Amino acid sequence: MKYDLEKILPHNHPMILIDDIEEINLENGSVTTTVTIREDSVFFDKELDGISYVTGIEFMAQTIGCYSHFKSGEEEPSIGFLLGTRSYKCNIDKFEKGKTYTIKAVEIFGDNELVSFECFIYNNDIECAKAAVNVYKPQNASDFLNNGV
């Protein structure tokens, strides 16, 4: 099934960096997405012939955004804030052109607004990156937008 990510994430193309959702499992608190690295990606670096490894954090954040959408009952996309990333470890120098990466986020703690996830990025079942990601999704997210945040 191909998901319309513009209806799930509070972004528009070209800032939607992931391609699709592979699996949503609210019972075990996880979501899996994919991205194939292409030259037309907004963060593609021709000199690097790929995308910088630091962009993996945004791949993780957008994957978490997909989970949030389904956990909230598929409401309109709402803003969330990446509070921090602990121990981002990446075993690659770049996300290589033409390769497809799988991003998995698993909720490890959550209350109504603050949530922590363990996130992983794989290529062909080989772990490329991992991190603990903390996010904040305020109940009054529209107030942040109306105040120019």
Side-chain angles (χ1 to χ4, degrees), residues 13-88:
H13 288 289
M15 288 309 297
I16 295 176
L17 303 184
I18 59 176
D19 294 330
D20 202 9
I21 300 169
E22 293 295 310
E23 180 184 17
I24 299 279
N25 188 328
L26 296 177
E27 287 181 22
N28 74 6
S30 69
V31 61
T32 304
T33 63
T34 59
V35 61
T36 299
I37 307 305
R38 292 182 286 282
E39 287 186 40
D40 63 350
S41 171
V42 69
F43 291 112
F44 189 84
D45 183 330
K46 289 182 181 177
E47 288 182 28
L48 193 61
D49 198 33
I51 294 178
S52 170
Y53 71 94
V54 298
T55 308
I57 295 168
E58 184 61 20
F59 294 154
M60 293 172 179
Q62 290 190 15
T63 298
I64 290 167
C66 293
Y67 176 79
S68 175
H69 172 76
F70 287 96
K71 187 173 180 182
S72 69
E74 301 181 44
E75 298 173 354
E76 285 289 314
S78 62
I79 193 166
F81 299 98
L82 176 66
L83 290 181
T85 304
R86 289 188 333 270
S87 304
Y88 179 65

Side-chain angles (χ1 to χ4, degrees), residues 4-5 7 11 19 48 61 73 87 91 96 99 105 108 113 118 133 141:
D4 184 351
L5 295 176
K7 292 183 178 171
H11 299 298
D19 294 330
L48 193 61
S87 304
N91 304 322
E96 293 183 44
K99 288 191 176 182
I108 55 172
E113 296 180 326
E118 282 290 324
V133 178

